[in-house]
Amino acid sequence: MPPNTTATTGDKPGKSGRKKGRKGRLVVLVLVLAVIGGIAFGAYWSISTVRASFPQTTGSITLDGLSGPVDVKRDGYGIPQIYASSDEDLFMAQGYVQAQDRFYEMDVRRHMTSGRLSEMFGKSQVKNDEFLRTLGWDRVAKKEYDETLSASTKRYLQAYAKGVNAYLKGKDGKDISLEYAALGFTNDYKPQEWTPVDSVSWLKAMAWDLRGNMQDEIDRALMTSRLSAKQIADLYPEYPYGRNKAIVQEGQYDDLTGTFEQGSGTSGSGSASTSGTGTSTSTSGTALQSQLSGLYNVLDDLPTAVGVNGNGIGSNSWVVSGAHTITGKPLLANDPHLSASLPSVWYQMGLHCRTVSSKCQYDVTGYTFAGMPGVVIGHNQDIAWGMTNSGVDVTDLYLEKLSGEGYLYDGKVEPFKTRPETIKVAGGASKKIVVRETSDGMPLLSDRDDELVKVGEKATVDTEAPDRGDGYGIALKWTALEAGTSMDAVFAMDKAADWSDFRAAAKKFDVPSQNLTYADKTNIGYTLPGKIPTRAKGDDGSIPAPGWDSTYKWTGYIGPDELPYEFNPKRGYIVTANQAVIDKDKYPYTLTTDWGYGTRSQRITSLIKDKIAGGGKISTDDMRQMQLDNSSEIASKLVPTLLKIDVDDPDVREAQKLLEDWNYTQDADSAAAAYFNSVWRNILKLAFGNKLPKELRVKGQCLLVDPVDTTAPADDTTKVRECGQRDADQAQPDGGDRWFEVVGELMDDENSHWWTTPKSGTRPGATDNRDDLFRRAMIDARWELTAKLGKDLDTWSWGRLHRLFLKNQTLGTEGPGILQYVLNRGPWKLSGGEAAVNATGWNAAGGYGVVWVPSMRMVVNLDDLDKSKWINLSGASGHAYSAHYTDQTDKWADGELLPWSFSKDAVDDSTSDTLVLKP
């Protein structure tokens, strides 16, 4: 699941030279050193400055507003366990403690969600703020708080905010964090009080990064400028239902009708079609091409909350029944795959009522987000739960025909709803914008890019679209732009006592839609919550729709009792790893056409089945070992063919021999893994990457291409130099399991046009078939790694290529070297890889550096909760040079888990520091 900013802007290892205003450049860092030279800076950065903001963790502090004393017990890793006697005291203390450790991160997050980054970081963030104001996350959050959330949830949010503000009272920026001290050189920014809406808004940012197939929708449309419909279909194969099983296999989707084979939908007609014929015909012209290209640039600039702008988001969670475990009770594992950030997006803690009663209802522990009360993933005294992103399609893009001050809709011009927004800019003049929305609340995203407006005015369109007139724009329909109840769901799950309670709580979790795994001492289960739209007229949401035609509107939402779930399946386990939720032939609605392709889920399933088939019982450590599985499925498909290819060059042959005894495991010290992944990257580049339009290729990588025909001869004088436009961690082909499926389906067609390439510079000549292309990829990989790792293969290793850098995503991303040194950590040489269970993701189009990671790992033991295990990517603290800044990272990288105390006796035994908060 979910979701990373440090606040989480998501800049990745290896980036340099980003243009002004790109994501990650959240500060006017250049000014910091312009104001102070290196010596003066170093002198200012005294020990007292660094330590001034470290939290008090022992003794006592008086907090106005508490009704009784609260104990905050921290273990050797600084992880807090809070004990109180009322709900309000519990959540007030949670706010205080999280602010102690992470307030700067919380502050940046709320400025991102409200479109106020410019107030902290100046004019470089104005474009981001314009886009964020257009989305209006904080407006929707305020509406949720005012209109849809329960009274108890509001009380808890108020108590949490009261705790945060108690921490802020009387403190200057330098007393709160080192980063504020740095900002003080360029900005007179002062932290403001926390509000309940600030907490609710974070769920919107999380939902944005987990929004489903919006990126695929854009990419497919952009591909039409260079690829045929058949070629695009080759690159988006159908999900392999026969090979990689869906999550729900024995379950139900309607409590009233029984098994999913027997149910029927009532909320509107779904669509089994994946062709999108009508949409493709009427919106495939130049207008859509140019609008989407510009829209991508806007989206790419936007800071991420938990993911890589919607790409690469995955996660593993599985649960095994007591019939197959050593203890005879269920085990539940979870590791959400999110962008690497410092500090980690997750915050570990326990929230305990001294006595659980109507006055104090919680005894829960797990992972939450700094800035949000409650626990998002974890366990209480009765149940455990995990999350993975479901990937269901909850966003649609609409091409709107503009006309005068309005837009065309069913032959009539409708006026836009407008609202003015004023963006305050640190060190500069405020910027005013006007946000336009359609009558049903869809914001016009294209208003946020001047180039989009100009292109929309001049663009041509196909004959079935309306005349050009004033041009075209792009509008967004998204479930998270409607007020919801996800915050209610968090508190309800935290106190759920059984499956019935948990299902009722899950129904409130409307955005983002997540796969929820469940276990109690006797049962295991899965449920899919979320507000998921139904569509009409054969529209499956896979490509942008024509906004001028009302028949493309959403027809409703799938009812909560009609969503798939599974309880105590006969097989004795449930695996969720972003694969299809349910077989499309067994369910009346289209949830999405863009599932993950099931590589990780199938591998996890195989590991579980192999253990069971051998008569073994699964232990907590077995679950941990499964989380660390580094096996490469694509290697198992390709290596036998690669070994059969004759290679003349002795140096290349030497590299090829690395694959002979390789077991396809991507360990950090493996030379074979390094060479294979380089071969894989070069296969993708030769077969697909060089044939994609510039909007999808890596920025700065230039090719000579024919404007129409990419297969034109190399000496064709009509060829033009065309350079890629996408950041390296966002480009295609990214090498994920969709590309596993693409290449797997083409393997038997040795003469497919995809295997043909022109001659390229000093490299070997043109390729006409699969084996020629594979040979050329092996040659290119040998010399690429020679340049990167040296000629001696004995020095090669996957970890030397596949490195993780943890960067403070604001002040540590770019700018003064001394500040980066203070705030950033790494590198770590990692095992694993793309679509491995140990999913240390990398983008094959851009390089080998780690882009996203298992952001935490946990295994819950329902027989003895104190024998559960957990780990975080970084540490509890957001303070550089705190002992708990990255004190879990080495163990995380080595695949270790920490003890996870839950009972009072276990917590007391592990406690290092105790702080008493007094009324």
Side-chain angles (χ1 to χ4, degrees):
M1 181 184 112
N4 238 4
T5 85
T6 354
T8 61
T9 51
D11 205 22
K12 303 301 175 295
K15 286 193 175 182
S16 61
R18 297 179 66 99
K19 72 179 185 181
K20 182 178 180 182
R22 304 303 282 173
K23 71 172 181 277
R25 185 169 298 195
L26 290 186
V27 236
V28 214
L29 289 180
V30 194
L31 294 179
V32 174
L33 272 199
V35 173
I36 20 176
I39 296 177
F41 184 87
Y44 178 83
W45 230 259
S46 63
I47 297 295
S48 61
T49 301
V50 170
R51 291 181 175 173
S53 57
F54 286 9
Q56 178 181 340
T57 59
T58 60
S60 64
I61 298 174
T62 299
L63 295 188
D64 290 339
L66 288 176
S67 63
V70 177
D71 296 327
V72 181
K73 301 182 178 184
R74 293 179 183 260
D75 67 9
Y77 288 88
I79 299 170
Q81 305 278 348
I82 300 175
Y83 289 84
S85 299
S86 74
D87 291 339
E88 285 79 1
D89 283 357
L90 192 63
F91 295 118
M92 182 177 175
Q94 182 181 17
Y96 185 88
V97 170
Q98 287 192 338
Q100 281 187 305
D101 286 334
R102 301 274 194 98
F103 183 76
Y104 177 77
E105 174 191 10
M106 293 162 58
D107 201 14
V108 176
R109 281 179 174 175
R110 66 165 165 180
H111 278 77
M112 183 184 79
T113 58
S114 59
R116 297 187 296 123
L117 290 167
S118 302
E119 293 179 15
M120 293 184 77
F121 306 117
K123 63 182 181 180
S124 68
Q125 294 304 302
V126 169
K127 293 297 270 186
N128 283 335
D129 283 346
E130 289 179 4
F131 190 80
L132 291 162
R133 295 286 183 95
T134 300
L135 290 175
W137 291 341
D138 62 328
R139 294 169 58 86
V140 182
K142 187 176 188 310
K143 187 175 182 180
E144 285 187 7
Y145 182 77
D146 291 341
E147 300 178 10
T148 65
L149 295 180
S150 69
S152 61
T153 292
K154 290 180 182 180
R155 288 198 307 272
Y156 301 158
L157 290 165
Q158 291 163 2
Y160 181 89
K162 187 186 297 183
V164 175
N165 293 329
Y167 168 75
L168 295 177
K169 187 176 181 180
K171 290 183 172 65
D172 292 329
K174 64 179 173 30
D175 300 321
I176 298 172
S177 81
L178 181 155
E179 290 92 335
Y180 286 122
L183 280 180
F185 287 112
T186 61
N187 194 340
D188 60 357
Y189 173 79
K190 298 289 190 298
Q192 299 170 340
E193 286 198 343
W194 193 264
T195 73
V197 174
D198 293 332
S199 296
V200 180
S201 295
W202 179 241
L203 285 171
K204 299 302 176 186
M206 185 177 74
W208 176 253
D209 283 350
L210 304 176
R211 61 191 178 267
N213 75 336
M214 183 172 164
Q215 193 62 59
D216 288 318
E217 194 173 334
I218 292 173
D219 287 355
R220 274 190 290 264
L222 290 173
M223 286 179 184
T224 60
S225 66
R226 194 164 291 278
L227 303 179
S228 68
K230 170 62 170 66
Q231 289 173 317
I232 295 173
D234 287 347
L235 303 186
Y236 287 89
E238 274 208 62
Y239 183 88
Y241 289 98
R243 183 177 75 250
N244 295 344
K245 298 299 183 183
I247 298 170
V248 176
Q249 300 170 41
E250 306 170 32
Q252 300 174 317
Y253 72 82
D254 189 335
D255 290 331
L256 301 177
T257 59
T259 61
F260 52 66
E261 288 88 353
Q262 297 172 330
S264 61
T266 59
S267 296
S269 61
S271 168
S273 167
T274 57
S275 64
T277 305
T279 306
S280 177
T281 301
S282 30
T283 62
S284 62
T286 309
L288 184 62
Q289 292 293 319
S290 56
Q291 291 285 354
L292 289 176
S293 176
L295 174 60
Y296 176 80
N297 291 332
V298 177
L299 296 177
D300 187 42
D301 285 349
L302 195 66
T304 63
V306 295
V308 191
N309 276 350
N311 289 338
I313 297 293
S315 298
N316 303 319
S317 185
W318 66 95
V319 59
V320 180
S321 75
H324 302 307
T325 68
I326 288 176
T327 66
K329 302 294 183 183
L331 295 169
L332 185 148
N334 197 188
D335 55 287
H337 307 153
L338 307 171
S339 291
S341 68
L342 183 61
S344 166
V345 68
W346 296 110
Y347 185 93
Q348 298 155 283
M349 72 188 318
L351 300 171
H352 307 279
C353 290
R354 294 189 178 95
T355 301
V356 176
S357 66
S358 59
K359 180 182 177 182
C360 198
Q361 306 172 73
Y362 296 89
D363 189 14
V364 61
T365 181
Y367 298 83
T368 189
F369 304 119
M372 213 180 89
V375 167
V376 175
I377 295 173
H379 72 80
N380 60 29
Q381 68 271 37
D382 297 310
I383 72 165
W385 68 96
M387 294 186 185
T388 64
N389 193 32
S390 70
V392 298
D393 187 359
V394 295
T395 61
D396 277 347
L397 294 173
Y398 286 84
L399 183 64
E400 300 291 346
K401 167 67 181 67
L402 307 181
S403 181
E405 296 300 315
Y407 61 100
L408 193 67
Y409 188 71
D410 282 351
K412 297 179 181 180
V413 176
E414 298 284 343
F416 283 107
K417 296 190 296 185
T418 62
R419 70 173 189 271
E421 295 277 355
T422 300
I423 298 168
K424 296 179 181 179
V425 182
S430 297
K431 172 80 178 287
K432 293 185 177 182
I433 64 171
V434 174
V435 176
R436 295 194 290 178
E437 295 180 348
T438 62
S439 59
D440 56 350
M442 292 194 298
L444 201 64
L445 302 186
S446 47
D447 277 353
R448 301 284 69 88
D449 190 272
D450 294 339
E451 184 176 347
L452 281 181
V453 175
K454 294 175 183 176
V455 197
E457 290 173 351
K458 299 179 180 179
T460 58
V461 292
D462 289 350
T463 54
E464 292 190 25
D467 292 336
R468 183 172 66 231
D470 294 331
Y472 291 81
I474 292 287
L476 171 68
K477 183 74 171 176
W478 179 34
T479 55
L481 295 181
E482 301 173 12
T485 55
S486 293
M487 199 71 240
D488 285 341
V490 171
F491 293 116
M493 286 191 290
D494 284 356
K495 62 181 180 181
D498 54 28
W499 173 244
S500 178
D501 285 351
F502 185 75
R503 280 266 290 163
K507 290 177 182 179
K508 299 177 184 291
F509 205 96
D510 42 22
V511 293
S513 175
Q514 298 288 291
N515 297 311
L516 299 181
T517 51
Y518 167 92
D520 58 37
K521 292 186 182 297
T522 306
N523 307 294
I524 64 173
Y526 160 86
T527 190
L528 174 70
K531 186 179 288 185
I532 303 170
T534 55
R535 299 170 175 88
K537 199 180 177 180
D539 175 22
D540 58 14
S542 62
I543 55 178
W548 51 85
D549 186 347
S550 64
T551 59
Y552 285 91
K553 288 184 64 175
W554 290 358
T555 57
Y557 297 99
I558 303 174
D561 286 331
E562 297 173 290
L563 291 170
Y565 70 91
E566 195 166 64
F567 187 63
N568 288 333
K570 294 177 182 177
R571 62 187 182 278
Y573 57 86
I574 301 170
V575 176
T576 78
N578 316 111
Q579 78 270 39
V581 167
I582 192 167
D583 194 307
K584 67 177 183 177
D585 295 329
K586 296 178 178 178
Y587 192 64
Y589 300 106
T590 297
L591 296 172
T592 187
T593 58
D594 292 301
W595 302 112
Y597 281 79
T599 301
R600 283 178 287 110
S601 64
Q602 192 59 30
R603 177 61 178 169
I604 295 165
T605 298
S606 296
L607 293 170
I608 294 171
K609 290 174 70 173
D610 289 348
K611 186 76 175 181
I612 294 172
K617 297 285 187 177
I618 296 171
S619 67
T620 299
D621 197 60
D622 290 331
M623 300 284 272
R624 180 187 70 88
Q625 293 287 355
M626 292 176 191
Q627 289 177 324
L628 302 179
D629 184 83
N630 293 318
S631 177
S632 170
E633 186 206 44
I634 192 60
S636 68
K637 289 182 178 179
L638 296 188
V639 166
T641 300
L642 293 174
L643 289 174
K644 293 176 183 177
I645 295 173
D646 292 330
V647 178
D648 295 331
D649 188 318
D651 290 318
V652 180
R653 174 62 186 149
E654 181 187 23
Q656 186 185 32
K657 283 185 176 181
L658 290 172
L659 305 179
E660 289 182 353
D661 299 319
W662 184 41
N663 64 355
Y664 314 136
T665 299
Q666 301 169 97
D667 294 330
D669 61 359
S670 170
Y675 181 60
F676 172 77
N677 281 320
S678 182
V679 173
W680 170 237
R681 179 175 184 249
N682 280 279
I683 287 173
L684 291 172
K685 180 179 178 181
L686 292 168
F688 310 104
N690 292 347
K691 297 166 187 173
L692 295 176
K694 62 182 181 295
E695 293 87 355
L696 276 69
R697 299 201 313 269
V698 175
K699 186 185 304 177
Q701 291 185 2
C702 303
L703 301 170
L704 289 175
V705 300
D706 184 274
V708 177
D709 182 9
T710 58
T711 63
D715 59 356
D716 191 331
T717 57
T718 66
K719 284 184 176 290
V720 296
R721 188 169 185 267
E722 187 181 82
C723 299
Q725 297 180 349
R726 222 170 245 196
D727 286 337
D729 61 7
Q730 301 279 298
Q732 292 292 338
D734 61 19
D737 65 355
R738 172 164 68 87
W739 295 98
F740 290 13
E741 198 68 21
V742 169
V743 172
E745 290 196 358
L746 291 172
M747 283 294 289
D748 292 336
D749 186 358
E750 298 181 24
N751 296 307
S752 167
H753 72 90
W754 290 109
W755 305 129
T756 63
T757 64
K759 184 177 180 180
S760 174
T762 59
R763 291 288 182 242
T767 66
D768 297 316
N769 57 57
R770 182 197 68 194
D771 289 356
D772 281 351
L773 187 140
F774 282 12
R775 182 182 296 108
R776 181 166 156 186
M778 286 195 290
I779 294 169
D780 287 355
R782 174 45 159 126
W783 300 117
E784 180 187 6
L785 293 197
T786 298
K788 291 180 181 295
L789 303 179
K791 189 173 181 179
D792 184 359
L793 272 63
D794 289 339
T795 68
W796 287 9
S797 70
W798 176 225
R800 288 182 62 196
L801 291 173
H802 194 53
R803 298 187 300 167
L804 170 67
F805 291 83
L806 289 181
K807 294 189 176 184
N808 176 295
Q809 297 301 303
T810 56
L811 299 181
T813 301
E814 295 184 35
I818 190 170
L819 198 54
Q820 292 194 34
Y821 177 81
V822 167
L823 296 174
N824 298 339
R825 301 291 183 270
W828 286 267
K829 298 176 181 179
L830 296 188
S831 302
E834 191 72 26
V837 179
N838 185 17
T840 54
W842 56 287
N843 187 303
Y848 304 98
V850 177
V851 176
W852 48 276
V853 295
S855 55
M856 62 82 156
R857 298 187 184 100
M858 74 177 199
V859 179
V860 182
N861 183 329
L862 274 298
D863 178 61
D864 184 346
L865 293 170
D866 288 329
K867 292 182 179 178
S868 302
K869 303 286 187 179
W870 64 350
I871 196 80
N872 204 354
L873 172 63
S874 58
S877 179
H879 298 285
Y881 294 106
S882 161
H884 307 306
Y885 193 48
T886 55
D887 59 339
Q888 297 184 50
T889 309
D890 286 346
K891 292 182 180 296
W892 172 91
D894 291 339
E896 297 181 40
L897 297 176
L898 301 176
W900 185 356
S901 300
F902 177 69
S903 70
K904 188 176 185 307
D905 287 345
V907 170
D908 286 344
D909 287 344
S910 63
T911 295
S912 296
D913 293 338
T914 300
L915 174 69
V916 179
L917 303 178
K918 296 181 177 179

